[in-house]
Amino acid sequence: MNRQTSTPQTPAAAEPAARRSRRGWRYLAGVLTVLVLLVVGAKLTWSYLNPFQENTIDRSQPVLLQSIQNMSRFQAATGNFQVIVDLEKDAPFLPDAVKGSRTLFVGAGGVDAYVDFSRMPKDAITVSADRTEVTVRIPRAELEKPNLDNKRSYVFAQQRGLLDRVQEMLSSSPQNQQELYVLAEKKIAEAAQSSDLRNRADQNTKLMLEGMLKSLGFTKVTVKYTDEP
């Protein structure tokens, strides 16, 4: 019975296989590198030659200061409001899918409550003979117009009929959202009028005057409103 004997592989015989393996990995790495460079180069070329790319250029004129007005108001409180405007427009004889629109608009902004010290009468401040007591008569707080925050005000949802979509596509000007802003400001102003914002401003103004006058040395400070007896 013949036995087959295997001769052990010498390091010299195994070396060519190791070299071939390393050469294969180097070739694969080179191919991957070339592919990455091609992809990066293609993206850079497309970004440079892209005919649809838009560049934003600001050609606005310098801001002109038109006037400066001295202020005599004390801003006593600020109310933050948010309203969802649901505005729907329908055509009398056409279905909504053909003519009509419905827009949901989120309006957010603030309303300032202030006291106008320029409306104080000439005898608004009365000081006692020993200069320890003082009485101040001030007007009631008023509300400023709502100031909508453009960053927090946006169209939430909108549905338009076919004719409205076509009209918007053919229009040379973008859709006007002024009506939505005006309606949101009106609703926020109504909400501010019915809120406790003015009363809070009156209280804050009284506290401010009492603290300021007491720091001037008056021991008794009385703050009244001009509409009080």
Side-chain angles (χ1 to χ4, degrees):
M1 187 173 183
N2 296 328
R3 294 182 177 178
Q4 296 181 354
T5 60
S6 59
T7 59
Q9 190 176 7
T10 62
E15 184 177 359
R19 288 182 178 178
R20 286 194 299 268
S21 178
R22 288 196 298 269
R23 190 180 297 112
W25 282 110
R26 290 175 182 174
Y27 177 76
L28 180 59
V31 172
L32 293 176
T33 303
V34 173
L35 289 177
V36 170
L37 292 176
L38 290 176
V39 171
V40 173
K43 288 185 176 181
L44 294 176
T45 303
W46 175 255
S47 62
Y48 181 75
L49 300 177
N50 183 11
F52 303 104
Q53 184 178 2
E54 294 183 353
N55 295 325
T56 302
I57 302 176
D58 187 2
R59 291 194 174 94
S60 304
Q61 299 297 320
V63 180
L64 299 178
L65 176 62
Q66 294 183 339
S67 63
I68 297 178
Q69 182 179 0
N70 295 328
M71 303 298 294
S72 57
R73 297 179 176 181
F74 171 66
Q75 183 174 325
T78 300
N80 294 314
F81 298 87
Q82 179 173 305
V83 61
I84 298 179
V85 177
D86 189 349
L87 184 62
E88 184 175 0
K89 295 183 178 181
D90 296 327
F93 305 104
L94 293 176
D96 295 340
V98 178
K99 177 64 176 177
S101 65
R102 183 179 180 184
T103 305
L104 297 178
F105 177 77
V106 178
V111 178
D112 296 333
Y114 66 92
V115 175
D116 190 356
F117 290 140
S118 65
R119 296 177 52 195
M120 295 174 61
K122 294 181 179 180
D123 57 347
I125 301 177
T126 304
V127 181
S128 62
D130 57 358
R131 304 189 64 83
T132 59
E133 299 181 8
V134 60
T135 301
V136 183
R137 300 175 65 88
I138 61 174
R140 297 275 184 180
E142 302 178 46
L143 297 180
E144 189 64 85
K145 292 178 58 178
N147 183 20
L148 256 63
D149 188 352
N150 294 329
K151 294 182 179 180
R152 297 189 295 131
S153 302
Y154 58 93
V155 175
F156 177 73
Q158 189 173 43
Q159 297 177 354
R160 300 187 301 273
L162 179 61
L163 295 180
D164 296 274
R165 294 177 181 272
V166 174
Q167 183 179 2
E168 183 180 354
M169 293 176 58
L170 298 178
S171 177
S172 59
S173 60
Q175 183 181 6
N176 188 8
Q177 297 182 356
Q178 183 179 3
E179 184 179 6
L180 298 171
Y181 278 86
V182 171
L183 189 56
E185 288 181 354
K186 179 181 178 181
K187 292 183 178 295
I188 290 178
E190 293 174 352
Q193 287 287 347
S194 60
S195 69
D196 193 51
L197 185 58
R198 285 185 297 179
N199 293 332
R200 178 69 64 85
D202 288 335
Q203 296 173 7
N204 292 341
T205 306
K206 290 183 66 174
L207 292 175
M208 183 274 295
L209 291 175
E210 289 174 356
M212 181 183 67
L213 293 173
K214 286 182 178 179
S215 65
L216 295 177
F218 293 100
T219 58
K220 183 179 179 181
V221 178
T222 303
V223 179
K224 296 183 177 182
Y225 299 103
T226 54
D227 57 355
E228 291 180 345

